[in-house]
């Protein structure tokens, strides 16, 4: 539930509010007949909030308690804490704390219902201890407004985070397209130059060498010495041209460069890229790999809430193997959207295979292989 610097700040604010309730209770006290039970209920609330925060941040490993179960425990313990000592009106701040995780993980309708229930509890508790009608209304309006304000701030922050993730994903897609276009343009230009050298200069030098070979047999001294020297120069130039053509064709690889341009400077995400290109990768397979890496990075930015993304690529005689993983929240069950479905179709069209794995608290992993 609480991930990222902004959400950590929200969690810390919650801890401060909860601690303030406990400190005031120690200093001011609660009803003598309910002190013990009040502290039990308060302790349950603190424990539920702490477990939810630790589980959501991944510090407890895989999440075994659903977020809504912990939220339900927190709401119930807050209601009990309030009902045991409604004369301690400051304890109603716990209701504001429970609204924050509810607004983060629940639909707006459920959050609104929770605010209505807790505001009603504030009003009923104040009336129960004999507060004046205007005090009951004021207390209900005050804490109701606090809850609404907290929910609005959280929802706005969540939407802003989603927009940032969408912007980062669009940025990654744009960089991928630019990288592929640049690599394609460079490779096409190298191939064009290599063909021109081979077809024009190479053929011309080959013809020249043959003519000089014939001339060497017909020439008479002292001209034969110059013909032999010219023939040697022509053969040397032909060898140089073939070497340059081979180098230009060998440079048409570009897989690591294209991948690095896709993943570099990704906002809000640490990316670790490892590429072992033991054999050259053709443009068709390179396009499949780069597009898949782009989709996996985009998926992580949009949905994972991750801090780290690892991408390992190996190209050898057997083909290209890619493994991508993140340290995000993960999910109990994988539900591929259009992006992952399109990725699978792209790899299978190239004769390859794809495997996905995810679990709560263990992030998301994808492994794919494109054969040679």
């Amino acid at each position: 539930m609480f991930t990222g610097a902004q959400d950590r700040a929200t969690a810390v604010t919650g801890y401060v509010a909860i601690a303030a309730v406990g400190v005031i209770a120690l200093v001011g006290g609660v009803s003598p007949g309910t002190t013990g039970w009040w502290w039990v209920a308060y302790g349950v609330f603190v424990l539920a909030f702490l477990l939810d925060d630790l589980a959501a941040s991944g510090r407890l490993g895989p999440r075994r308690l659903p977020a809504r179960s912990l939220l339900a425990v927190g709401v119930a313990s807050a209601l009990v804490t309030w009902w045991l000592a409604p004369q301690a009106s400051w304890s109603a701040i716990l209701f504001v704390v429970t609204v924050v995780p509810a607004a983060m993980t629940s639909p707006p309708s459920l959050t609104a219902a929770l605010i209505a229930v807790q505001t009603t509890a504030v009003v009923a508790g104040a009336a129960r201890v004999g507060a004046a009608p205007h005090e009951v209304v004021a207390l209900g309006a005050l804490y109701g407004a606090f809850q609404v304000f907290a929910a609005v701030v959280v929802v706005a922050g969540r939407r802003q985070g989603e927009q940032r993730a969408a912007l980062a994903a669009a940025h990654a897609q744009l960089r991928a397209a630019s990288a592929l276009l640049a690599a394609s343009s460079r490779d096409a230009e190298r191939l064009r130059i290599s063909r021109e050298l081979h077809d024009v200069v190479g053929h011309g030098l080959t013809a020249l060498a043959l003519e000089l070979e014939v001339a060497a047999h017909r020439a008479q001294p002292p001209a034969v010495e110059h013909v032999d020297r010219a023939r040697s120069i022509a053969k040397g130039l032909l060898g140089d041209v073939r070497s340059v053509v081979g180098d230009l064709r060998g440079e048409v690889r570009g897989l690591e460069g294209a991948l690095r341009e896709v993943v570099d400077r990704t906002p809000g995400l640490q990316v670790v890229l490892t590429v072992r290109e033991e054999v050259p990768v053709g443009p068709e397979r390179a396009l499949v790999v780069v597009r898949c890496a782009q989709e996996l990075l985009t998926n992580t930015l949009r949905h994972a809430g991750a801090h780290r993304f690892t991408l390992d690529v190996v190209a050898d005689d057997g083909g290209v193997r890619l493994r991508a993983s993140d340290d995000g929240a993960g999910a109990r069950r994988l539900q591929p959207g259009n992006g992952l479905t399109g990725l699978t179709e792209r790899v299978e069209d190239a004769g390859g295979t794809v495997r996905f794995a995810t679990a709560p608290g263990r992030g998301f992993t994808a492994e794919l292989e494109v054969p040679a």
Side-chain angles (χ1 to χ4, degrees):
M1 183 182 308
F2 297 110
T3 56
Q6 186 175 11
D7 293 339
R8 289 306 310 158
T10 303
V12 170
T13 303
Y15 283 120
V16 171
I18 294 170
V21 172
V23 170
I24 296 174
L26 283 173
V27 175
V30 293
S31 297
T34 61
T35 300
W37 288 112
W38 188 93
W39 282 106
V40 168
Y42 174 77
V44 171
F45 181 89
V46 173
L47 182 62
F49 187 87
L50 176 64
L51 288 176
D52 184 71
D53 179 30
L54 293 176
S57 60
R59 283 173 283 178
L60 290 183
R63 188 165 206 158
R64 292 180 174 83
L65 289 174
R68 290 192 177 181
S69 298
L70 290 172
L71 177 61
V73 172
V75 170
S77 56
L79 288 170
V80 172
T81 302
W82 166 254
W83 194 252
L84 287 174
Q87 70 279 2
S89 58
W90 32 263
S91 64
I93 197 67
L94 297 181
F95 293 145
V96 180
V97 176
T98 61
V99 166
V100 173
M104 280 185 168
T105 60
S106 304
S109 57
L110 183 60
T111 304
L114 176 62
I115 293 174
V117 169
Q118 294 186 150
T119 303
T120 302
V122 171
V123 171
R128 175 170 166 260
V129 294
H134 70 278
E135 293 177 341
V136 171
V137 172
L139 197 63
L142 178 65
Y143 282 104
F146 283 163
Q147 293 177 78
V148 170
F149 176 75
V152 169
V153 170
V154 170
V155 170
R158 188 170 70 176
R159 289 180 179 173
Q160 186 180 22
E162 292 171 351
Q163 291 172 351
R164 283 199 303 269
L167 181 60
H171 180 68
Q173 290 177 333
L174 180 60
R175 289 184 60 82
S178 299
L180 289 172
L181 181 60
S184 177
S185 299
R186 288 194 301 267
D187 292 348
E189 184 63 14
R190 289 192 185 103
L191 286 173
R192 186 190 67 79
I193 294 173
S194 68
R195 290 193 188 103
E196 290 294 326
L197 286 173
H198 181 270
D199 295 342
V200 179
V201 181
H203 286 174
L205 287 173
T206 300
L208 177 60
L210 291 174
E211 291 293 333
L212 290 172
E213 182 77 23
V214 174
H217 291 292
R218 296 182 177 180
Q220 299 295 324
V224 67
E225 180 183 349
H226 297 285
V227 172
D228 287 338
R229 191 179 304 152
R231 185 179 60 177
S232 298
I233 294 173
K235 287 183 177 180
L237 287 173
L238 182 59
D240 291 341
V241 168
R242 286 173 176 168
S243 177
V244 171
V245 169
D247 290 342
L248 285 172
R249 289 185 179 275
E251 288 177 3
V252 183
R253 296 173 64 171
L255 178 59
E256 180 174 3
L259 287 172
R260 201 161 293 283
E261 288 189 40
V262 170
V263 304
D264 276 356
R265 298 189 301 276
T266 302
L269 189 65
Q270 179 188 0
V271 180
V272 179
L273 172 66
T274 303
V275 180
R276 296 201 310 275
E277 198 171 351
E278 299 173 5
V279 298
V281 178
E284 294 82 6
R285 287 190 300 157
L287 178 61
V288 172
V289 173
V290 173
R291 284 300 189 193
C292 289
Q294 170 198 335
E295 178 55 41
L296 293 170
L297 177 62
T298 300
N299 191 69
T300 298
L301 288 168
R302 284 179 172 170
H303 307 298
H307 302 288
R308 182 183 176 92
F309 178 80
T310 303
L311 185 65
D312 295 315
V313 180
V314 177
D316 54 25
D317 292 332
V320 183
R321 296 183 299 279
L322 181 149
R323 186 181 190 276
S325 60
D326 63 55
D327 63 351
R332 190 172 301 278
R333 187 173 54 135
L334 179 64
Q335 295 179 328
N338 293 330
L340 293 183
T341 301
L343 181 151
T344 303
E345 293 171 349
R346 181 186 293 272
V347 174
E348 290 178 347
D349 288 344
T353 58
V354 182
R355 293 181 299 276
F356 300 125
T358 185
R362 294 186 176 179
F364 175 80
T365 301
E367 295 179 348
L368 63 91
E369 184 172 352
V370 181

